[in-house]
């Protein structure tokens, strides 16, 4: 049995749901409620020493860290390819993923925002401004990369979903959530819209998960 330990609004878990769906891997989900602090409990830390989600149980293995898990899925289930093309093209795709996974997402995830509120005493407006600043900076770079590569769409890397879209869609979800102005990002906005229309992405949408609250918060 493939089991995903995650949370409905976790960007990292969202990535894995998309990839699992694209590759046709059936899985069950176990919710780890981040708002209630379940990720910090001993039982979960026994699975993930950092107290993060996701954790994926698959093929008798217990895997952590979404970038590493996504690479595992690509190596063990190479079709459909999320990292297609030449070595140089795969490097470019990994760079798209890294802009989001290394430079945007970490500074606006829950533990950072909680620290800003609780330890540094920042109010809601300041926290929102923080998120908007770093998301906007990262998306501006991603937009320039997409324009320079000019893959022709409709997805971020051409005619089929790739690892770039797996990372893009959850980050665009967060950008909308924090009210980021999108007018300057026409290329990635179009790619995000195309990907969200794909059944694998729709099924992975946070609001479609079994642990999503009815009020959406």
């Amino acid at each position: 049995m493939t089991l995903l330990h995650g949370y409905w609004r976790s960007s990292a878990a969202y990535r894995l749901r998309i990839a699992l769906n694209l590759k046709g891997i059936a899985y069950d989900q176990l919710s780890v409620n981040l708002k209630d602090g379940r990720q910090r409990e001993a039982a979960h830390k026994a699975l993930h020493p950092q107290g993060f989600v996701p954790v994926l149980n698959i093929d008798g293995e217990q895997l952590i860290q979404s970038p590493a898990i996504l690479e595992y899925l690509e190596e063990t289930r190479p079709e459909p390819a999320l990292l297609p093309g030449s070595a140089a093209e795969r490097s470019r795709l990994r760079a798209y993923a890294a802009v989001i996974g290394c430079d945007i997402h970490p500074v606006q995830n829950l533990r950072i925002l909680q620290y800003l509120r609780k330890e540094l005493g920042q109010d809601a407006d300041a926290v929102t401004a923080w998120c908007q600043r770093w998301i906007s900076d990262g998306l501006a770079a991603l937009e320039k990369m997409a324009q320079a590569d000019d893959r022709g769409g409709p997805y971020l890397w051409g005619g089929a979903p790739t690892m770039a879209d797996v990372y893009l869609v959850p980050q665009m979800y967060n950008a909308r959530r924090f009210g980021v102005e999108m007018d300057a990002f026409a290329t990635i906005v179009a790619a995000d819209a195309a990907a969200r229309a794909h059944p694998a992405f729709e099924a992975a949408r946070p609001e479609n998960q079994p642990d999503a609250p009815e009020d959406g918060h």
Side-chain angles (χ1 to χ4, degrees), residues 22-23 73-75 77-85 90 93 157 160-166:
L22 285 169
K23 290 185 176 290
L73 295 178
E74 187 70 356
E75 290 180 14
R77 280 90 168 166
E79 298 297 333
L82 299 181
L83 291 168
R90 293 193 296 274
L93 279 167
W157 193 254
T162 66
M163 195 71 77
D165 304 287
V166 168

Side-chain angles (χ1 to χ4, degrees), residues 7 11 32 61 77-78 126 130 135 188 196 205 208-209:
Y7 181 62
S11 295
V32 181
E61 303 288 344
R77 280 90 168 166
W130 167 277
I135 294 173
I188 58 177
R196 286 188 290 119
R205 190 163 61 93
N208 288 337
Q209 305 318 302

Side-chain angles (χ1 to χ4, degrees), residues 31-52:
S31 179
V32 181
N33 192 317
L34 303 184
K35 287 185 71 175
D36 290 348
R38 297 291 297 275
Q39 72 276 20
R40 294 188 292 272
E41 294 180 356
H44 184 70
K45 281 200 166 185
L47 305 178
H48 195 314
Q50 292 176 286
F52 295 167

Side-chain angles (χ1 to χ4, degrees), residues 3-199:
L3 179 63
L4 174 62
H5 304 245
Y7 181 62
W8 70 284
R9 206 158 63 181
S10 159
S11 295
Y14 192 173
R15 292 172 200 155
L16 285 196
R17 295 194 300 265
I18 294 168
L20 290 165
N21 293 344
L22 285 169
K23 290 185 176 290
I25 303 170
Y27 60 98
D28 292 326
Q29 296 193 62
L30 179 65
S31 179
V32 181
N33 192 317
L34 303 184
K35 287 185 71 175
D36 290 348
R38 297 291 297 275
Q39 72 276 20
R40 294 188 292 272
E41 294 180 356
H44 184 70
K45 281 200 166 185
L47 305 178
H48 195 314
Q50 292 176 286
F52 295 167
V53 295
V55 175
L56 186 68
N57 298 110
I58 187 170
D59 301 335
E61 303 288 344
Q62 182 173 285
L63 307 177
I64 64 172
Q65 284 290 350
S66 64
I69 300 171
L70 290 166
E71 293 279 352
Y72 175 88
L73 295 178
E74 187 70 356
E75 290 180 14
T76 59
R77 280 90 168 166
E79 298 297 333
L82 299 181
L83 291 168
S86 67
E89 288 172 322
R90 293 193 296 274
S91 179
R92 290 290 295 166
L93 279 167
R94 288 185 172 100
Y96 278 67
V99 168
I100 294 169
C102 300
D103 299 323
I104 305 176
H105 170 244
V107 296
Q108 44 99 96
N109 67 12
L110 180 62
R111 68 193 181 108
I112 300 300
L113 303 189
Q114 288 178 335
Y115 184 84
L116 289 172
R117 295 183 188 105
K118 296 178 181 179
E119 303 298 326
L120 299 184
Q122 300 301 304
D123 63 17
D125 289 342
V127 171
T128 297
W130 167 277
C131 294
Q132 290 175 343
R133 162 67 191 276
W134 301 117
I135 294 173
S136 296
D137 282 4
L139 293 185
L142 203 64
E143 177 72 16
K144 289 180 180 178
M145 291 166 64
Q147 289 179 358
D149 286 326
D150 191 19
R151 302 294 296 191
Y155 301 102
L156 195 54
W157 193 254
T162 66
M163 195 71 77
D165 304 287
V166 168
Y167 277 79
L168 175 68
V169 168
Q171 186 55 62
M172 293 294 277
Y173 176 91
N174 280 344
R176 290 188 296 272
R177 177 183 164 208
F178 290 114
V180 172
E181 176 56 57
M182 300 286 197
D183 288 349
F185 311 136
T187 306
I188 58 177
V189 165
D192 171 64
R196 286 188 290 119
H198 189 292

